[in-house]
Amino acid sequence: MIMPVAIITGASKGLGRALARALAARGWDLVVDARSAGPLQEAARELRGSGGRVVALAGDVTDGGHRAALVAAAAELGGLDLLVNNASALGAEPLVRLAEHPLDGLRRALEVNVVAPLGLIQLALPLLRNSAHGSYLSSYEGEAPYIGEAPSGPPDGGSETYEAHTTSGNSHNSYLSDSTPYAGVSGAVLCLSSDAAVEAYPTWGGYGASKAALDQLSAVLAVEEPGLRVWWVDPGDMRTELYAAAVPDDDDSGRPLPGTVVPALLRLLDGAAPSGRYPAAAAAPAGTGSAR
């Protein structure tokens, strides 16, 4: 039996590794990448323990040759059903105000967070359009998500409630109504976003701008490729190395681990949710609570 295939960037740690672990446990074949070969091979050994095929390719997603190798590996496994653009760059470590933000750092954030995902999508589209497991994503009976959810509070903390909006009546997502003619034979693209893409938080300007651009790219892709499911997801605050690098003086011991977000991502996949922007809390199964 040919199993579904996913490409996951930034899969050696954090949310990328947690999602890869969950898909491997379901029998998916995986192509995973990270910049550091050692941690990536360690992750690959763990993933292979579930019995599926795992191709681990160390490299930088900003390298066009590396992106081509990822897609070629998926083709060798039988095709591509899910592309996960998870790899991210902050642009400055620690984060700084825009007045001091290094321009080279902003360029790097845009290359990693926007240009590289688009480059990977462009190469992957022929495989995604011909996903052998498109029927897995073909039947969803629900409302399209609200684009631009209410903020859950700044990434550096806050006590605001994490509201989940899933109504389709708002003008922001009128072009993604649940009457969109999905072909039912294509795959899915999942892009990891941030609430910094839609809210103005001090020091998060460069990173937030790159994620806002990724959101817009994803939204346009969803319109241009109605046969695909395109999800851009704000996972909420997590206890990751990326967050520690962004705000090193913050105590992140109370923040949830990346694995707590995975059920929300799997719900999008299992429900073949319509294209749109989701906060992880809105996509999470009942009773799992917010990712914050």
Side-chain angles (χ1 to χ4, degrees):
M1 176 184 295
I2 298 177
M3 300 305 294
V5 178
I7 293 175
I8 305 176
T9 65
S12 66
K13 55 191 175 183
L15 182 56
R17 183 166 179 172
L19 177 58
R21 184 184 301 119
L23 292 179
R26 291 178 166 210
W28 284 60
D29 293 328
L30 302 173
V31 179
V32 294
D33 104 317
R35 284 183 297 165
S36 300
L40 179 62
Q41 291 304 324
E42 177 187 344
R45 283 192 293 271
E46 176 196 0
L47 297 172
R48 292 186 184 112
S50 295
R53 295 176 296 174
V54 178
V55 179
L57 299 176
D60 193 317
V61 292
T62 64
D63 179 349
H66 175 63
R67 294 194 299 267
L70 293 174
V71 175
E76 286 292 320
L77 291 177
L80 183 61
D81 306 290
L82 174 65
L83 170 61
V84 182
N85 285 309
N86 172 68
S88 294
L90 290 168
E93 298 182 13
L95 295 178
V96 295
R97 299 172 69 87
L98 288 175
E100 293 85 38
H101 201 293
L103 297 184
D104 285 345
L106 178 58
R107 292 187 186 97
R108 172 67 180 172
L110 291 169
E111 284 286 339
V112 174
N113 302 346
V114 187
V115 178
L118 177 57
L120 196 49
I121 288 167
Q122 289 174 338
L123 292 172
L125 273 175
L127 293 180
L128 289 167
R129 288 169 180 154
N130 291 286
S131 166
H133 296 268
S135 59
Y136 185 68
L137 302 169
S138 65
S139 59
Y140 176 84
E141 295 181 359
E143 295 180 326
Y146 176 94
I147 308 300
E149 69 279 5
S152 55
D156 56 355
S159 58
E160 294 90 339
T161 300
Y162 195 33
E163 285 191 57
H165 295 274
T166 56
T167 60
S168 59
N170 190 282
S171 61
H172 285 286
N173 71 326
S174 59
Y175 59 93
L176 289 175
S177 70
D178 40 9
S179 62
T180 303
Y182 291 105
V185 295
S186 300
V189 177
L190 169 61
C191 295
L192 274 300
S193 185
S194 168
D195 56 348
V198 295
E199 295 299 323
Y201 303 134
T203 75
W204 290 82
Y207 177 76
S210 70
K211 290 297 185 178
L214 180 63
D215 280 9
Q216 179 66 3
L217 181 153
S218 301
V220 173
L221 178 67
V223 172
E224 293 179 345
E225 296 287 337
L228 300 182
R229 302 285 177 166
V230 183
W231 307 309
W232 47 114
V233 176
D234 166 17
D237 285 352
M238 298 178 291
R239 195 188 320 167
T240 63
E241 290 184 17
L242 187 77
Y243 182 83
V247 192
D249 294 333
D250 186 51
D251 179 10
D252 66 355
S253 60
R255 296 181 185 277
L257 292 171
T260 62
V261 179
V262 171
L265 304 182
L266 295 179
R267 184 179 174 96
L268 292 177
L269 193 63
D270 292 343
S275 295
R277 188 180 205 279
Y278 291 83
T288 60
S290 167
R292 281 191 184 270

